[in-house]
């Protein structure tokens, strides 16, 4: 067995087929962006999360953006320059910075928002220390966030909405750095933890849900895929997604009828119905395709996401840095085994582009292939096919 494992690890990696990173954050280290064209990966899906990185992702996409042709080709080794697919969204860690002027206080101008009142209403436990609140940025109107995101999506037709989601476990960092705080890593884009100690404060879950649902609806309106973060909130993430497609569930076609109609046609009827006569995606209240990023839920929860009545296609991505750096890695293995072969994606979830990102992608691909019992080349081809389906919204063309 040891000899077999060694031979498997030494098998040359088939980068020429095309490896697609479904979720990463290279704009957190801006200096690494210049390494993207030289990477072995074919496409990076780069996430925006907060105010400081939205325009960085936009700029990266302006210079390195992938077109349909650069994703949906089958020319081995001929598309040598790595490209990016941008994704614009507001992460739950920063959702407290958004003021809901759509569902609450409609018509109230952002300049009239009471900053202290806003943060006390969306942070739990409600902060009594005004010094902490004053260290936070001025709240931004949800309507402004959605309008700006929509403009970015219009500029980049393949762009996703993300990273969005819910998180019960995270805590806001302290407002100021203390002597005991860890020094932030040099060169990182501002706006994250920046080495600060964590406070006792969380973002209230109902507020997180409002910000998530607004972005899900925008993705549905624009016919875009989404990348969803869910930590310690797997049940409520599914409930929130489910609310967006309630009343739009698909009629489940029996296996007998599928066979009579032709299984491939029946299986993808909903994809055809999501297109207008001119080929543009039809507007829906739910996103057409959803990726559960670095999925950390139990394998038993997958069934609810794979219910054939759900009108959205749901994919599951896995990463070494999230799924295989903690004692719960066996849970990830069981989930990988249970995810259908055509719904699994890979990601690095790394904050820096370059060789390390390539290495993490190779590592997770090899691990998934081993877990699934796939030959390496066959697995890379399947993962590439899945990514194209996720981003483009259709089965990729055959070679």
């Amino acid at each position: 067995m040891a000899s077999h494992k060694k031979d498997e690890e030494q098998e040359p990696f088939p980068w020429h087929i095309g490896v697609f990173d479904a979720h990463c954050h290279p704009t957190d280290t801006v200096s690494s962006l210049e390494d993207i064209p030289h990477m072995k990966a074919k496409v990076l899906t780069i996430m925006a999360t907060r105010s400081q990185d939205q325009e960085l992702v936009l700029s990266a996409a302006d210079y390195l953006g992938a077109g349909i042709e650069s994703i949906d080709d089958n020319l081995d080794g001929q598309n040598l320059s790595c490209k990016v697919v941008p994704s614009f969204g507001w992460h739950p860690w920063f959702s407290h910075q958004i003021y809901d002027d759509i569902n609450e206080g409609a018509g109230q101008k952002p300049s009239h928002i009471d900053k202290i009142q806003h943060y006390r209403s969306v942070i739990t436990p409600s902060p009594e220390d005004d010094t902490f609140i004053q260290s936070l940025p001025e709240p931004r109107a949800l309507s402004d966030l959605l309008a700006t995101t929509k403009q970015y999506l219009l500029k980049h037709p393949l762009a996703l909405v993300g990273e969005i989601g819910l998180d019960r476990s995270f805590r806001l960092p302290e407002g100021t750095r203390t002597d005991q705080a860890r020094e932030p890593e040099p060169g990182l884009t501002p706006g994250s933890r920046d080495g600060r100690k964590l406070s006792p404060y969380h973002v209230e879950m109902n507020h997180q849900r409002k910000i998530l649902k607004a972005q899900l609806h925008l993705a549905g309106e624009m016919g875009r895929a989404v990348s969803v973060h869910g930590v310690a909130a797997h049940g409520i993430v599914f409930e929130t997604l489910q609310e967006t497609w309630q009343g739009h569930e698909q009629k489940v076609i029996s296996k007998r009828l599928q066979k009579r109609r032709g299984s491939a046609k029946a299986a993808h009827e909903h994809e055809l119905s999501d297109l207008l006569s001119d080929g543009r995606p039809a507007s829906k209240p739910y996103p057409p395709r959803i990726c559960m990023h670095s999925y950390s839920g139990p394998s038993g929860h997958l069934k609810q996401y794979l219910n054939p009545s759900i009108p959205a296609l749901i994919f599951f991505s896995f990463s070494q840095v999230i799924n295989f750096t903690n004692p719960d890695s066996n849970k990830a293995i069981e989930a990988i085994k249970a995810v259908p072969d055509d719904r699994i994606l890979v990601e690095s979830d790394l904050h820096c582009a370059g060789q390390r990102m390539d290495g993490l992608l190779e590592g997770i691909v090899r691990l998934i292939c081993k877990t699934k019992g796939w030959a390496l080349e066959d697995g890379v081809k399947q993962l590439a096919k899945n990514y194209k389906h996720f981003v483009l919204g259709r089965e990729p063309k055959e070679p």
Side-chain angles (χ1 to χ4, degrees):
M1 287 294 289
S3 176
H4 175 73
K5 183 177 181 181
K6 184 176 180 181
D7 290 343
E8 182 181 57
E9 290 175 346
Q10 291 177 342
E11 180 182 354
F13 193 77
W15 289 104
H16 63 280
I17 294 173
V19 175
F20 299 82
D21 188 338
H23 187 109
C24 60
H25 301 272
T27 52
D28 278 355
T29 311
V30 174
S31 61
S32 76
L33 296 178
E34 64 187 23
D35 295 327
I36 292 177
H38 311 294
M39 287 180 60
K40 296 176 181 177
K42 186 169 184 176
V43 172
L44 310 181
T45 315
I46 56 175
M47 300 287 140
T49 60
R50 59 193 187 276
S51 63
Q52 291 89 345
D53 63 10
Q54 305 290 326
E55 291 191 2
L56 292 175
V57 172
L58 180 69
S59 177
D62 287 344
Y63 285 99
L64 299 169
I68 292 177
E69 298 79 9
S70 60
I71 294 177
D72 194 21
D73 69 50
N74 295 282
L75 304 177
D76 285 0
Q78 293 187 35
N79 185 18
L80 300 179
S81 179
C82 182
K83 300 292 185 181
V84 306
V85 168
S87 188
F88 303 101
W90 208 269
H91 196 286
W93 292 356
F94 310 98
S95 56
H96 59 293
Q97 299 172 5
I98 303 300
Y99 172 73
D100 182 6
D101 63 333
I102 297 176
N103 301 300
E104 301 174 6
Q108 187 174 2
K109 298 296 183 184
S111 60
H112 297 157
I113 293 171
D114 185 318
K115 178 179 178 178
I116 292 178
Q117 181 181 351
H118 164 72
Y119 280 120
R120 282 182 174 167
S121 69
V122 302
I123 294 174
T124 183
S126 183
E128 297 182 0
D129 181 7
D130 287 353
T131 303
F132 174 76
I133 293 178
Q134 292 297 351
S135 72
L136 299 173
E138 291 295 322
R140 181 181 182 183
L142 179 57
S143 61
D144 178 59
L145 167 64
L146 296 176
T148 302
T149 303
K150 186 173 183 177
Q151 290 303 310
Y152 293 163
L153 295 174
L154 288 170
K155 186 173 184 181
H156 290 279
L158 295 182
L160 282 62
V161 173
E163 178 177 359
I164 59 178
L166 303 175
D167 194 318
R168 282 190 188 276
S169 67
F170 88 101
R171 290 178 289 150
L172 299 178
E174 294 284 1
T176 56
R177 300 187 72 254
T178 64
D179 292 339
Q180 293 78 31
R182 176 175 53 84
E183 283 294 327
E185 190 174 329
L188 288 184
T189 299
S192 60
R193 183 177 173 183
D194 299 327
R196 293 172 290 171
K197 294 178 65 178
L198 294 178
S199 76
Y201 302 121
H202 300 258
V203 179
E204 198 268 331
M205 186 53 62
N206 282 336
H207 182 72
Q208 289 191 45
R209 292 186 73 191
K210 289 175 185 177
I211 305 307
L212 171 60
K213 285 186 74 173
Q215 295 179 94
L216 291 171
H217 288 317
L218 176 61
E221 175 191 342
M222 303 294 289
R224 303 303 177 87
V226 299
S227 187
V228 175
H229 169 109
V231 173
H234 298 293
I236 198 167
V237 166
F238 179 76
E239 290 172 11
T240 306
L241 293 170
Q242 187 178 44
E243 288 173 5
T244 68
W245 64 62
Q246 276 186 341
H248 297 266
E249 289 85 354
Q250 298 235 115
K251 182 178 179 180
V252 179
I253 303 172
S254 68
K255 291 183 179 179
R256 183 177 179 182
L257 186 56
Q258 284 186 34
K259 187 174 182 181
R260 187 181 303 169
R261 292 187 180 183
S263 58
K265 181 176 183 291
H268 300 290
E269 276 185 344
H270 70 287
E271 294 180 46
L272 297 175
S273 68
D274 283 345
L275 296 178
L276 300 174
S277 58
D278 61 1
R280 290 182 296 112
S283 178
K284 306 279 186 180
Y286 57 87
R289 298 172 305 285
I290 299 166
C291 175
M292 305 306 298
H293 132 70
S294 283
Y295 178 73
S296 59
S299 58
H301 286 192
L302 293 171
K303 290 182 179 179
Q304 63 187 358
Y305 286 105
L306 299 171
N307 188 314
S309 68
I310 294 176
L313 287 177
I314 302 183
F315 296 78
F316 305 86
S317 63
F318 296 89
S319 67
Q320 286 195 311
V321 297
I322 300 297
N323 298 115
F324 292 95
T325 55
N326 59 62
D328 287 337
S329 59
N330 285 337
K331 185 168 70 172
I333 291 291
E334 293 305 310
I336 289 169
K337 290 177 181 177
V339 172
D341 291 355
D342 61 352
R343 299 292 185 87
I344 192 166
L345 302 170
V346 294
E347 57 168 279
S348 68
D349 198 24
L350 194 63
H351 64 282
C352 182
Q355 291 183 357
R356 185 183 171 203
M357 186 176 283
D358 276 335
L360 288 170
L361 289 170
E362 178 177 342
I364 190 64
V365 169
R366 287 185 183 274
L367 195 154
I368 286 175
C369 288
K370 180 181 178 181
T371 303
K372 287 282 197 183
W374 292 342
L376 188 55
E377 287 208 6
D378 291 342
V380 174
K381 288 177 182 177
Q382 181 66 58
L383 292 166
K385 182 179 180 181
N386 296 351
Y387 178 86
K388 294 173 185 180
H389 195 180
F390 171 62
V391 171
L392 301 179
R394 57 175 170 77
E395 294 277 10
K397 65 187 180 183
E398 297 297 326

